[in-house]
Amino acid sequence: MTGKQKQDRREKEKRGILLEVFGTPRGAEALNIILEDLRFFHWTDSEAERALNEYAKFFVRERLGVADTLRIAEAVMAEASQSRGRE
């Protein structure tokens, strides 16, 4: 097995661990807290906040493997529709 193959396998293992942990209801709450702390859902006012925001995007994209942006957009729109109903 080459170094690249070992690295790819380790990245898949990491992703599996994170999906297992964050795939539970409590895990989803924990992920939300982490993404809030990393300024994922907010405008950034400083270089430090921008760095946190960039890491949040890296985490979602690379660590969790989120690549289907259409599904993300659909989830956002579903939440927006539900939120509108709560007003």
Side-chain angles (χ1 to χ4, degrees):
M1 184 178 288
T2 68
K4 174 76 168 121
Q5 290 171 323
K6 287 179 184 177
Q7 182 180 354
D8 289 347
R9 191 171 108 203
R10 182 63 187 140
E11 291 303 315
K12 282 180 128 175
E13 289 172 359
K14 288 179 190 178
R15 184 171 295 147
I17 291 167
L18 293 170
L19 292 176
E20 181 180 332
V21 169
F22 294 131
T24 66
R26 282 300 263 186
E29 288 179 43
L31 177 60
N32 189 63
I33 292 166
I34 291 167
L35 293 177
E36 283 281 340
D37 289 349
L38 293 174
R39 310 299 295 161
F40 186 74
F41 305 108
H42 306 284
W43 292 107
T44 57
D45 295 325
S46 69
E47 191 63 33
E49 287 182 343
R50 277 189 287 285
L52 291 171
N53 181 271
E54 287 300 317
Y55 180 74
K57 290 186 277 190
F58 167 84
F59 186 82
V60 168
R61 184 181 60 250
E62 300 296 327
R63 294 290 183 233
L64 297 179
V66 175
D68 189 344
T69 57
L70 180 58
R71 288 183 57 195
I72 294 170
E74 289 170 347
V76 168
M77 292 309 299
E79 177 58 29
S81 293
Q82 287 181 355
S83 294
R84 194 174 311 136
R86 288 182 245 164
E87 293 176 350

